[in-house]
Amino acid sequence: MTATDERAPHSARTTEPKGARVADWADSRLGIYNFRFLIRKVFPDHWSFMFGEIALYSFIVLLLTGVWLTMFFDPSMRETVYNGSHSELHGIPMSQAYASTLRISFDVRGGLLIRQLHHWSALVMIAALCVHTLRHFLTGSFRKPREVNWLIGFTLLVLVTLEGFVGYSLPDDLLSGTGLRIAEGVTLAIPLVGTYLTMFLFGGEYPGHDVIPRFYSFHILLMPGIILALVTVHLIYVFYHKHTQFRGPGRTENNVVGQPLMPVYTAKAGGFFFLVFGVLAMLAGIAQINPVWTYGPYRGDQISQGSQPDWYMGFLEGALRAMPSWEFVIPGGYTVNMGVLLPAVILPTVLMAVVALWPFLEAWATGDREEHHLLDRPREHPTRTAFVSSIVAFYLVLFFGGANDVIAERFHLSLNQITWAVRIGVFVVPALAYVVTRRICLGLQHRDIEKVLHGRETGRIRRLPHGEFIEVHAPLDQGTAYSILAREDRPIAPAPVAQADGVKNPHARKQMLRHRVSRWLYGNQVPKPTREELLRSLGHFDPASADGHGSSNGHAGSNGHGSSNGHSNGHGPSRGHVSSNGHAAALEQQEQQTH
């Protein structure tokens, strides 16, 4: 090789693309190349995962529209006389907050559209968060190592609900003012600290002159900052723990099957964001919401018939309407108003505490300390699913109870009869929902096992050589059979021994409680079929295969030990005796659990 110090001409030199030069510049200052692993981060594909994305994208729309609204809204309770575009309210005294809301709606170009887009985004975000929480609850994704992230997500749901109520109260119209009056009564009903909290929130006797400015600070600064911080931590935990996924061939506790972040998921997520934005904009443009000009400004001596809060506060309204008037005086002359304290403070607090601490209850009852990255199907946990169903039923009863006056007027019914129906329904309907849901889950488990053993009905009738007519059953595919039989069977905690060698068991009560809770959670499950039952079921499809050595659908090898094409567990050939009708995956799953 001959050395030379000649330089190539400039025309022969190659230059880096502009994008590479920009990336190098950013890396030299921010170290972005260290985050290359994020580009190949895998996201599983399932429609239920989109509810969290809907909530996130609605939050982005809320931030954008909220920033725009702050430029025109005046959060002052100073009284003024309205002389704006809405002639029906000319000459009426009102607060600056209400007057500026009217100005945004009628005088600012595009103001009403942005107001409604902001309101619809809040409603959709809370709804998406509720469904997102239910999805996590039903599939058991809150188990180790995601307990902390479950608490963060549940805290986000509570904070976003409160944020929605605070923002709903800012226009100072008659409807939102009535809601604030109820909030003041609920705060006052809290023993010992109620009056202090009321002074902190309202600055004195209601309505005062400070509540709207204080709520405005909470709404645009304090609570959004906390929510944004919790969303960031929540997403960091999702990346750190990796995504959960439903069971299936090739999916294990140590991998994620899906699409990479770049470019597939980024393109899909970007497109979905604009779809959500478009739907929200369409709702804002064609569906009127919160027309404050029809309510008028708030006055303490007025209230509109048929006034209803936003849907996420409907259950609280129903609880207050259904609770009888009950109060008593404790020593010292303090009156405890249980008619407000029980439905509006104690009931929501207990309900939220049970839901938030459920992951720790399950872990304690089962003694499970393993990490879980595969999701459960709701039918595989009848008690958990039935419990969720009873909570939803309880919520819906109170939700419709909050509209008892509207229902009575529209359907010409007795208001008192509806109220008593709600009082009875809060005990009866959730219990019925629990029993029915649990039986449905057990029935679905039986049907799944039946399909594994006998296949699915095809509707085709075949005549056998001896004249008998039978319906042809088609075997399940491997992925479906594997998903059914790969469920975890959790053992029930053993009952405690009262004494051993004459020594009394000091932990007997605690162990008995754990035994009963675990039996309630996981007792009476439908057992999975044994290997012998799976082998015998082969004859249902082909009598020649009843001994477990023939082909059930003509696709096995000549020796009856055909491959399952690598889809039974994602790692290669099946070790079962049959091939592609789902029993290979089923038999392999049984062998894995045996060994």
Side-chain angles (χ1 to χ4, degrees), residues 59-77:
F59 181 57
I60 295 174
V61 177
L62 276 170
L63 293 178
L64 296 175
T65 55
V67 170
W68 189 92
L69 290 172
T70 57
M71 301 177 184
F72 303 96
F73 181 72
D74 182 3
S76 172
M77 298 190 72

Side-chain angles (χ1 to χ4, degrees), residues 577-591:
H577 294 277
V578 293
S579 111
S580 58
N581 64 357
H583 284 71
L587 292 172
E588 181 172 358
Q589 177 65 24
Q590 293 286 353
E591 289 183 3

Side-chain angles (χ1 to χ4, degrees), residues 137 147 150-151 154-155 350-360:
F137 204 127
E147 302 97 333
W150 164 262
L151 293 176
F154 188 76
T155 304
V350 171
L351 190 62
M352 289 188 296
V354 171
V355 174
L357 298 178
W358 185 273
F360 306 96

Side-chain angles (χ1 to χ4, degrees), residues 202-479:
F202 298 94
E205 293 292 333
Y206 185 81
H209 298 282
D210 298 328
V211 58
I212 298 300
R214 291 185 182 186
F215 275 28
Y216 184 70
S217 299
F218 295 159
H219 185 68
I220 70 167
L221 184 63
L222 180 62
M223 299 182 75
I226 297 175
I227 292 172
L228 187 60
L230 289 179
V231 167
T232 303
V233 176
H234 186 71
L235 294 178
I236 290 174
Y237 268 119
V238 170
F239 268 76
Y240 177 73
H241 290 143
K242 77 181 182 180
H243 280 75
T244 55
Q245 58 187 346
F246 286 94
R247 294 191 305 270
R251 300 175 182 179
T252 69
E253 297 283 3
N254 302 315
N255 70 349
V256 178
V257 178
Q259 302 293 338
L261 175 64
M262 292 290 291
V264 180
Y265 183 77
T266 302
K268 292 169 62 176
F272 190 51
F273 167 74
F274 288 107
L275 283 175
V276 173
F277 203 154
V279 171
L280 292 175
M282 182 182 66
L283 287 173
I286 66 176
Q288 179 177 271
I289 189 170
N290 198 26
V292 296
W293 54 90
T294 64
Y295 308 139
Y298 176 72
R299 286 184 54 181
D301 60 341
Q302 294 182 357
I303 185 172
S304 299
Q305 187 274 337
S307 59
Q308 302 291 316
D310 278 341
W311 72 267
Y312 50 86
M313 286 295 177
F315 81 100
L316 188 63
E317 179 85 4
L320 287 169
R321 295 188 184 191
M323 183 68 189
S325 178
W326 176 27
E327 64 181 28
F328 56 87
V329 180
I330 61 176
Y334 294 98
T335 300
V336 179
N337 189 349
M338 296 300 293
V340 177
L341 180 64
L342 182 60
V345 179
I346 297 178
L347 179 64
T349 302
V350 171
L351 190 62
M352 289 188 296
V354 171
V355 174
L357 298 178
W358 185 273
F360 306 96
L361 172 67
E362 277 201 15
W364 173 78
T366 61
D368 185 10
R369 298 295 183 268
E370 300 294 328
E371 290 193 2
H372 296 277
H373 303 286
L374 294 177
L375 298 174
D376 300 321
R377 294 195 303 169
R379 68 185 63 178
E380 297 170 354
H381 289 269
T383 301
R384 183 202 295 160
T385 304
F387 178 75
V388 174
S389 176
S390 64
I391 290 180
V392 174
F394 181 77
Y395 177 90
L396 290 176
V397 171
L398 294 180
F399 175 82
F400 287 108
N404 57 357
D405 54 342
V406 177
I407 295 175
E409 179 190 5
R410 295 297 175 89
F411 295 96
H412 307 288
L413 300 174
S414 169
L415 179 66
N416 291 332
Q417 290 179 357
I418 296 175
T419 302
W420 272 103
V422 173
R423 291 173 178 174
I424 298 172
V426 293
F427 297 100
V428 176
V429 175
L432 287 177
Y434 178 88
V435 173
V436 172
T437 303
R438 198 172 191 281
R439 295 307 306 173
I440 290 175
C441 290
L442 293 175
L444 290 174
Q445 286 188 26
H446 278 290
R447 191 190 69 171
D448 287 341
I449 300 303
E450 183 72 14
K451 283 186 175 182
V452 170
L453 295 178
H454 303 290
R456 57 179 178 83
E457 298 177 352
T458 62
R460 293 185 291 112
I461 305 299
R462 176 184 298 174
R463 183 179 181 182
L464 300 181
H466 58 277
E468 179 185 0
F469 289 91
I470 62 170
E471 183 182 14
V472 178
H473 283 208
L476 294 180
D477 61 274
Q478 289 189 346

